[in-house]
């Protein structure tokens, strides 16, 4: 899962896909922040391929893959679910996000500001910033599990929600502290380093899978001569299906499909990547996201899940999802370095972005201070294994939280004028808070939350009906507000 | 010239990183320790050689 990105305040968010999003964000430039990207600044297709492939092979992949195994997924459900879900994610980028991006050529922030008004966008940034903190916390958790290989302290188990040892707290504090300081001081250096690490990291992930497969062949004494034999090995020993581990939700084909589709919901359906694809010459360039999906969210998840399945095969009682020890057993020091770097290089831009989001609210604080405080918050979050161990649910929640705003942008761009309503209403009415957009967001969240809490629908699926609900609410309330204001003004 | 050498070395590193695990899968290499050793050596050399030409490219 790539570190997501949200709307940024207008004080310095310029994203250029020729470098990764997080690096582009750092570039202090006022270019095209509040105007469409001009023709001469557009980028070629290959600029997007590397960016997506690198960004979606992150530290969190090392948690998500094993959690699929913990959820009792079967081989058929996993493979077909990932193939379909990732295809749907790519199509979401291609058909929902990129067509708007290449027509409007505006940042998400400016697009939202025109529709929602500055105050509502600030609220959106706050929500984004908080979620970034938790996500960065999960990445710090991943990196800290590598420290546990060197220092023998008790690490959290699959069902742990709170820190379970002083050693763990100190390890997370040390890792998170370093990440926060580096994000505040040397952000660009780490961003560059992340680019260099990306090809190496992808291959280490692949190596996890290859080594894990051989280990399974050795312990099961299975002969693998063809694809059929491989499938049988996977079905009988690796992804056996059946009941999930205690405290986990059972994952079916549909769970895997929807998770793969929605785990980056904030980016495609939620429209965060408007800021990226505004640089694309053609909307079909969004097919480049397939590089990220099928490298990070297919190969990397499968590889990471093999490591955990092997651990369970050797000792069914060892249900701890700890990327550090798992990677070390498979690939030695290189695996351990991969865990640290994967967590670090993805936590770094996430903390930075959270800082940007918060800075929209605390203008007087320096970027350095905000990033440092944000890093401290993320570190505290990382001490609690709840986020990392419940990452599947958290990612679904993250998508649900930002999805309504994607629906608002989509409807506003394509349908408002056709319905006889005014698009970009906040800009036209000079309102800092478009009530229609605000209510579409809040009411949708309230309804989705109620549906999930009352057990009517699981959080993994609720965002699909939620999107349509948000779209309808936005249109209806916009109609009421705009007609009333029309009547008042005449 | 240095850039070219760095590029070639780094590509070899990527090959050394993944080939042993592929050979381990096929059974051509039976020692996991050898695979781990090759991977860490390839990792170290990659992070020395790749920045020599990738650092500037990345901004």
């Amino acid at each position: 899962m790539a570190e997501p990105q949200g709307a940024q305040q207008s004080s310095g968010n310029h994203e250029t896909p020729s470098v990764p999003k997080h690096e582009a964000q750092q570039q202090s430039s006022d270019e095209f922040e509040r105007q469409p990207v001009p023709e001469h600044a557009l980028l070629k297709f290959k600029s997007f391929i590397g960016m997506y492939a690198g960004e979606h092979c992150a530290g969190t992949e090392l948690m998500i893959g094993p959690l699929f195994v913990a959820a009792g997924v079967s081989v058929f459900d996993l493979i077909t679910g990932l193939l379909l879900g990732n295809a749907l994610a790519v199509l979401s980028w291609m058909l929902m996000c990129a067509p708007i991006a290449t027509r409007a050529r505006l940042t998400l922030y400016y697009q939202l500001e025109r529709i929602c008004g500055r105050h509502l966008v600030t609220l959106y940034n706050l929500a984004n910033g908080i979620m970034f903190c938790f996500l960065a916390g999960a990445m710090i958790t991943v990196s800290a599990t590598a420290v546990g290989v060197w220092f023998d302290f008790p690490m959290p188990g699959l069902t742990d929600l709170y820190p379970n040892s002083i050693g763990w707290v100190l390890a997370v504090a040390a890792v998170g502290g370093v990440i926060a300081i580096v994000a505040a001081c040397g952000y660009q250096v780490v961003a560059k380093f992340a680019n260099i690490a990306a090809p190496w990291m992808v291959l280490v992930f692949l190596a996890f899978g290859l080594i894990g497969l051989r280990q399974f062949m050795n312990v099961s004494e299975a002969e693998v001569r063809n694809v059929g034999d491989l499938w049988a090995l996977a079905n009988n020993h690796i992804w056996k299906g059946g009941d999930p581990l205690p405290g986990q939700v059972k994952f079916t084909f549909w769970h895997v499909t929807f998770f793969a589709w929605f785990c980056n919901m904030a980016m495609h359906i939620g429209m965060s990547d408007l800021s990226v694809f505004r640089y694309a010459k053609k909307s079909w360039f969004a097919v480049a996201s397939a590089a990220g999906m099928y490298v990070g969210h297919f190969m990397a998840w499968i590889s990471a899940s093999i490591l955990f399945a092997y651990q369970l095969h050797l000792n069914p009682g060892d249900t701890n999802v700890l990327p550090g020890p798992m990677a070390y057993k498979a690939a030695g020091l290189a695996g351990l370095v991969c865990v640290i770097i994967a967590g670090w290089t993805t936590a770094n831009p996430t903390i930075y972005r959270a800082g940007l989001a918060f800075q929209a609210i605390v203008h007087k604080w320096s970027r350095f201070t905000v990033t440092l405080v944000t890093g401290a918050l993320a570190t505290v979050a990382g001490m609690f294994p709840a986020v990392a161990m419940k990452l599947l649910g958290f990612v679904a929640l993250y998508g649900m939280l930002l999805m309504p705003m994607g629906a608002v942008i989509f409807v506003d761009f394509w349908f408002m004028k056709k319905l006889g309503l005014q698009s970009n209403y906040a800009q036209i009415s000079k309102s800092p808070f478009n009530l229609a957009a605000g209510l579409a967001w809040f009411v949708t969240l309230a309804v989705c939350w109620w549906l999930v809490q009352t057990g009517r629908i699981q959080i993994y699926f609720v965002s699909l009906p939620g999107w349509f609900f948000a779209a309808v609410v936005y249109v209806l309330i916009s109609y009421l507000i705009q007609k009333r204001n029309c009547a008042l003004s005449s | 010239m240095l850039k070219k050498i760095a590029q070639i070395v780094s590509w070899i590193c990527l090959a050394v990183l993944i080939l042993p695990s592929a050979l381990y899968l096929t059974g051509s290499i039976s020692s996991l320790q050898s695979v781990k050793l090759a991977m860490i050596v390839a990792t170290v050399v990659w992070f020395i050689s790749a920045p020599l030409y990738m650092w500037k490219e990345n901004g």
Side-chain angles (χ1 to χ4, degrees), chain A residues 23 189 192-193 195-196 199-200 203 206-207 210-211 213-215 218 329-334, chain B residues 14 17-18 21-22 24-27 32 35-36 39-40 43 46-47 50-51 54-55 58-59:
Chain A
E23 186 171 346
V189 173
K192 278 188 183 185
F193 180 76
N195 290 351
I196 290 164
W200 165 85
L203 289 180
L206 181 59
L210 300 179
I211 292 166
L213 269 180
R214 182 73 231 180
Q215 288 175 321
N218 290 345
K329 280 173 194 160
L333 278 173
Chain B
L14 292 183
L17 189 70
I18 196 63
S21 53
Y24 180 71
L25 174 64
T26 60
L32 183 57
V35 176
K36 289 176 180 178
M39 286 181 74
I40 191 63
T43 296
W46 165 262
F47 281 109
M54 283 179 84
W55 196 262
N58 286 307

Side-chain angles (χ1 to χ4, degrees), chain A residues 79-252:
Chain A
I79 303 297
T80 54
L82 288 182
L83 286 171
L84 177 61
N86 285 317
L88 288 168
V90 173
L91 287 172
S92 298
W93 264 297
M94 286 178 73
L95 302 177
M96 297 190 74
C97 180
I100 296 176
T102 52
R103 283 167 173 83
R105 301 209 177 277
L106 299 171
T107 63
L108 168 70
Y109 174 80
Y110 190 48
Q111 187 108 343
L112 266 181
E113 190 186 309
R114 283 156 43 120
I115 297 168
C116 303
R118 188 170 279 273
H119 290 177
L120 188 52
V121 171
T122 301
L123 212 57
Y124 178 91
N125 267 332
L126 179 64
N128 233 338
I130 291 167
M131 296 310 270
F132 283 153
C133 274
F134 284 114
L135 200 63
M139 290 161 181
I140 292 167
T141 300
V142 168
S143 283
T145 63
V147 179
V149 173
W150 280 301
F151 302 94
D152 192 24
F153 54 78
M155 286 200 274
L158 183 61
T159 53
D160 285 338
L161 302 179
Y162 302 99
N164 63 339
S165 70
I166 293 292
W168 172 252
V169 170
L170 292 175
V172 175
V175 171
V178 169
I179 288 172
I181 290 164
V182 170
C185 301
Y187 172 84
Q188 278 179 304
V189 173
V190 184
K192 278 188 183 185
F193 180 76
N195 290 351
I196 290 164
W200 165 85
M201 200 153 45
V202 167
L203 289 180
V204 175
F205 270 99
L206 181 59
F208 288 155
L210 300 179
I211 292 166
L213 269 180
R214 182 73 231 180
Q215 288 175 321
F216 264 111
M217 285 158 65
N218 290 345
V219 294
S220 65
E221 295 179 353
E223 285 289 330
V224 177
R225 296 183 199 85
N226 52 45
V227 176
D229 291 344
L230 184 63
W231 187 267
L233 173 73
N235 191 41
N236 298 330
H237 297 287
I238 306 176
W239 301 285
K240 296 180 285 189
D243 292 333
L245 294 176
Q248 303 300 302
V249 174
K250 166 70 181 172
F251 259 41
T252 64

Side-chain angles (χ1 to χ4, degrees), chain A residues 412-430:
Chain A
D412 198 88
F413 189 85
W414 294 112
F415 297 116
M416 290 303 264
K417 281 180 181 163
K418 287 178 181 149
L419 293 166
L421 295 167
Q422 190 62 252
S423 60
N424 298 325
Y425 192 67
Q427 185 183 43
I428 283 158
S429 63
K430 295 186 172 57

Side-chain angles (χ1 to χ4, degrees), chain A residues 133 180 351 358 365 368-378:
Chain A
C133 274
I351 287 170
F358 290 142
W365 289 22
F368 177 87
T369 308
V370 171
T371 309
L372 213 56
V373 170
T374 306
L377 289 173

Side-chain angles (χ1 to χ4, degrees), chain B residues 1 14 17-19 23-24 26 30 32 34 37 43 45 51-52:
Chain B
M1 187 63 186
L14 292 183
L17 189 70
I18 196 63
L19 265 179
L23 293 171
Y24 180 71
T26 60
S30 57
L32 183 57
S34 307
L37 182 65
T43 296
V45 181
L52 294 175

